[in-house]
Amino acid sequence: PRLHQDTAVFAGMALAHQLKRVRHAGRDLTALPLEALHELRKDCKRLRYAAEFFQPLFPERRGRRFIRRLSAVQEALGLLNDGAAAAGLLAQLGRAGEGYAAGLVMGVAAAGGGAVRAEVQVAWRKFHDTHPFWT
C-alpha cells in the first residue's frame, strides 16, 4: 500500500517518525551524558538527510529554516563530541598524554565544554520551536 501513496504523504510520515525519535532522545537535554548526546547527534544526522532528500516536495522557505536549525544542533553536538574524543585519545596515550601539551588540550576541551553545552541548548531550543515543514 505504501507504494501507491502520494510521495508527499509518505515523506511526511517518514519525517514525522524521525522527528519523534530526535525529540524523544533530546527531551531532557541538560541531563544527558556525552554518550547519549552523541546518539542524539546521529539521530539528528538521519533526520537531516531525510529532510534534505524530501524537502523539494514542500515549501522551500520552511524547509530551509528547519534544516538550517537542525544542522546547528548537529554542529553544536559535534563540537561537544570532539572535546570528549580529544580527552579519550589523550587517555590512550598513557604517560605520553600527561605532559604540558596534553594539559593544554585538556584545559581547552574542559573550558569549552560548558560553553558548547550552552550552545547546544540554544540551538536545540530554536530547532524545537521550529514548525516541521511537511505539516
Side-chain angles (χ1 to χ4, degrees), residues 29 32-42 77 80 117 120:
L29 193 66
L32 291 177
L34 288 173
E35 299 81 24
L37 290 171
H38 182 62
E39 291 303 315
L40 175 60
R41 180 175 181 253
K42 292 192 296 189
L77 288 169
L80 195 60
R117 274 200 179 254
V120 168

Side-chain angles (χ1 to χ4, degrees), residues 40-101:
L40 175 60
R41 180 175 181 253
K42 292 192 296 189
D43 287 340
C44 287
K45 184 188 293 189
R46 288 182 198 100
L47 175 58
R48 194 189 92 226
Y49 289 164
E52 288 173 343
F53 181 78
F54 289 124
Q55 193 275 325
L57 299 172
F58 301 97
E60 183 178 350
R61 184 175 179 186
R62 286 178 55 198
R64 281 195 326 256
R65 180 183 310 124
F66 182 90
I67 292 167
R68 183 178 64 247
R69 290 184 176 176
L70 176 59
S71 294
V73 171
Q74 190 180 344
E75 178 69 23
L77 288 169
L79 290 173
L80 195 60
N81 188 61
D82 290 348
L89 290 172
L90 284 174
Q92 289 178 4
L93 291 175
R95 289 202 34 85
E98 296 174 2
Y100 179 77

Side-chain angles (χ1 to χ4, degrees), residues 15-27:
L15 289 166
H17 174 76
Q18 280 300 119
L19 178 61
K20 184 177 178 181
R21 282 183 61 137
V22 167
R23 285 189 171 162
H24 179 74
R27 70 187 178 282

